[in-house]
Amino acid sequence: MNDRPHTASGNVQIIDTAFYIPTLNRTRRIWLYLPEEYKNSKKKYPVLYMHDGQNLFDESTSFSGEWKVDETMDELANACMVVGIDNGESKRMNEYNPNDTHQFGKGEGRQYLEFIVKTLKPYIDKKYRTLRSAKNTMMAGSSMGGLITFYAGLYYPKVFGKLGVLSPAFWVSPNIREEIRQAVRPSTHSTQKFFFYGGGAENLTMVSEIHQVNDAMNHNAQSKNAMLV
């Protein structure tokens, strides 16, 4: 029995407990945070898409403590909308990786990102007052969520202008630098902003992997479009 308290603020709602993912033929709970002023204004807002929705807002649904995304946004003068997408639990390693692996099986990351870009984002843009341009469309995630966030920026530079790649599981994608070499061009990726965050205490190779990806992105985009922390 889960006796942990519900901690989501009043600015968080659940859009759907079973939002259909046509590219994967399964459903998923979708969360939405709206800034406090949303209901009393006609303003349009940037949108941040985040993975592992169970962990973002509510202690009762979180894996090991919620991220307090709603409380953090409540304190910001220029808060954005946040769309949280629940992970697929047993499907998480597959949905957050676009490449097939011997260890985890078929990668479903391309289909998952296609769902966000072609189904979920158009729905959010239609139903809510959003700023739809790439510079106002963001994505963030941690670990495998950080990995798929990076690939969202790689595959959809005209959709996602700012990417928060936190403690990314780059070890799952040993060919990532070659993928960057093939996909990244100044004409498509030079205006994006990547925020990389990770530490050596999390993983012995994480820092070096982040530096390698950062260097490859900057080299191929011919622009310093990444920030390392």
Side-chain angles (χ1 to χ4, degrees), residues 3 14 17 19 37 39 58 75 78 100 109 115 120-121 152 155 158 189 194 201 203 212 224:
D3 57 358
I14 293 176
T17 58
F19 198 102
E37 65 178 20
K39 56 182 176 291
D58 197 336
E75 296 178 358
N78 296 304
D100 298 345
F115 154 68
L120 183 58
K121 184 179 186 298
Y155 297 154
K158 294 183 179 180
H189 292 76
F194 286 81
N203 182 292
Q212 290 170 19
K224 189 172 178 56

Side-chain angles (χ1 to χ4, degrees), residues 65-76:
E66 62 141 322
W67 289 18
K68 298 184 182 296
V69 172
D70 45 343
E71 288 89 347
T72 300
M73 286 292 172
D74 285 345
E75 296 178 358
L76 297 180

Side-chain angles (χ1 to χ4, degrees), residues 153-168:
L154 193 69
Y155 297 154
Y156 295 101
K158 294 183 179 180
V159 177
F160 301 105
K162 298 172 184 175
L163 296 308
V165 183
L166 314 178
S167 304

Side-chain angles (χ1 to χ4, degrees), residues 178-192:
E178 176 61 21
E179 293 178 272
I180 292 170
R181 189 189 69 79
Q182 293 182 10
V184 176
R185 299 290 182 273
S187 60
T188 53
H189 292 76
S190 62
T191 60
Q192 287 180 300

Side-chain angles (χ1 to χ4, degrees), residues 150 170 176-177 180 196 208-218:
F150 176 79
F170 285 147
I176 195 167
R177 282 179 290 171
I180 292 170
F196 291 108
S208 63
E209 289 167 347
I210 288 176
H211 276 286
Q212 290 170 19
V213 169
N214 171 67
D215 292 345
M217 286 296 297
N218 287 333

